Amino acid sequence: MPCSIFIIDLTGVGVRHFWNLRAHLQKASTMATSHYPESVDKIFILGAPSFFPVVWGYINKWFEPNLTSKISVLAHAEAKAVLSQHIDLADLPASYGGTLPWEYGTNPNLDDEAREMVGSFADNWIEGPTRYVSKEDGDEIHAAGTEGNGLRRTVLAKLPVRREEPGVLFGDGEGCV
């Protein structure tokens, strides 16, 4: 199972923002807990405001204990030391102590292998939801959601068939659980 590490930066987030994000956080927690908990390796929360422990007391009840055990709240001062234990500095944005020249809101900075896999999609990144579709002749990334009055179903990228060792999807095969 491919594993993901998430960084959630709460710098500058106030009580009103949390209240406005309530429904979104509940949906995200349901999706992560119900459908993909095994794909989450770690979640790091940075820049948590002083009221965060009170809010966290309510939010963490929406998640399964297995998922909450993967969440760490970090001060910005400890971010580089902790994050670099889990993310190579070349893949960690410079704003968190790494060397990756990427900022929130910009397109992903793909390495050569990833760029080759997604082809022209790398230069024409699309905003909004996408869908990963598995096919025998190679997987595809599709635009999802709606645009105007119609559904978005454009094929954004065709990925080549990956041949892996039996039982190993990616990486060392040890999984995240």
Side-chain angles (χ1 to χ4, degrees):
M1 170 62 64
C3 303
S4 299
I5 295 175
F6 297 90
I7 299 173
I8 300 171
D9 191 340
L10 299 178
T11 302
V13 174
V15 175
R16 176 183 268 178
H17 291 106
F18 267 106
W19 185 254
N20 291 340
L21 290 172
R22 185 179 83 260
H24 174 71
L25 289 170
Q26 284 178 312
K27 287 178 186 175
S29 69
T30 299
M31 185 171 66
T33 300
S34 301
H35 304 292
Y36 307 105
E38 70 282 356
S39 69
V40 176
D41 184 22
K42 287 286 200 182
I43 299 173
F44 295 103
I45 298 175
L46 302 175
S50 60
F51 62 84
F52 183 76
V54 174
V55 174
W56 181 244
Y58 293 104
I59 293 174
N60 73 6
K61 294 173 185 160
W62 301 335
F63 296 96
E64 293 293 325
N66 183 40
L67 193 59
T68 57
S69 70
K70 299 176 182 185
I71 299 173
S72 299
V73 180
L74 305 176
H76 277 290
E78 63 184 335
K80 180 179 180 179
V82 174
L83 294 174
S84 65
Q85 294 174 20
H86 303 277
I87 303 170
D88 189 279
L89 289 178
D91 297 324
L92 184 63
S95 58
Y96 302 123
T99 60
L100 182 67
W102 181 85
E103 293 182 23
Y104 178 78
T106 60
N107 289 338
N109 187 1
L110 303 177
D111 62 20
D112 292 338
E113 181 183 4
R115 184 171 287 282
E116 183 179 326
M117 283 183 66
V118 299
S120 64
F121 180 51
D123 298 319
N124 301 307
W125 209 262
I126 188 166
E127 291 197 22
T130 56
R131 190 168 57 121
Y132 191 89
V133 179
S134 276
K135 296 187 169 193
E136 284 192 30
D137 62 339
D139 299 341
E140 297 176 346
I141 299 173
H142 293 202
T146 59
E147 190 168 44
N149 293 327
L151 295 174
R152 292 180 352 153
R153 295 295 182 258
T154 307
V155 176
L156 302 171
K158 292 181 182 266
L159 308 177
V161 176
R162 289 188 65 149
R163 302 285 181 226
E164 301 288 340
E165 296 176 35
V168 177
L169 294 175
F170 295 96
D172 59 14
E174 291 185 20
C176 300
V177 184

